[in-house]
Amino acid sequence: MFLIDFHFNDLDALTPERTAAHRKHLGAAYEQGDLMFGGPKVPRTGGIILSTHATEAALRTLLDTDPLVQAKLASYTITEFTPILASPAQSHVIQQI
């Protein structure tokens, strides 16, 4: 599993249209189950996403083609981790890993 930490490089240039393009780009990965959760940080300096991509390379391919990353409005870091504890409602995540 991977934690993606998006960092906005230029919040003033982040328009609703660019945010919509970013969400549309990631939408298929959410539909396929490769991305689990995501949303903006508070305060809005970036975002956090949890991914179940099979490989970091596959995840990087998705992120590097994100419209915000391509426009240099956002950058990201990836942290790989192995979940070993979960609430009963999320225990299926542990069983998949």
Side-chain angles (χ1 to χ4, degrees), residues 1 81-88 90-97:
M1 185 169 284
F81 71 102
T82 303
I84 58 170
L85 298 172
S87 70
Q90 302 302 323
S91 63
H92 66 283
V93 173
I94 303 300
Q95 295 166 3
Q96 290 179 4
I97 303 297

Side-chain angles (χ1 to χ4, degrees), residues 27-66:
Y30 279 106
E31 290 295 321
Q32 294 169 354
D34 290 330
L35 298 179
M36 294 180 60
F37 302 103
K41 296 178 193 176
V42 178
R44 193 170 182 230
T45 59
I48 299 290
I49 300 174
L50 286 179
S51 164
T52 58
H53 277 81
T55 66
E56 185 174 334
L59 175 57
R60 284 189 184 278
T61 297
L62 173 69
L63 298 177
D64 288 343
T65 56
D66 184 290

Side-chain angles (χ1 to χ4, degrees), residues 56-79:
E56 185 174 334
L59 175 57
R60 284 189 184 278
T61 297
L62 173 69
L63 298 177
D64 288 343
T65 56
D66 184 290
L68 295 183
V69 173
Q70 289 190 330
K72 300 196 185 314
L73 296 177
S75 56
Y76 63 86
T77 59
I78 296 174
T79 303

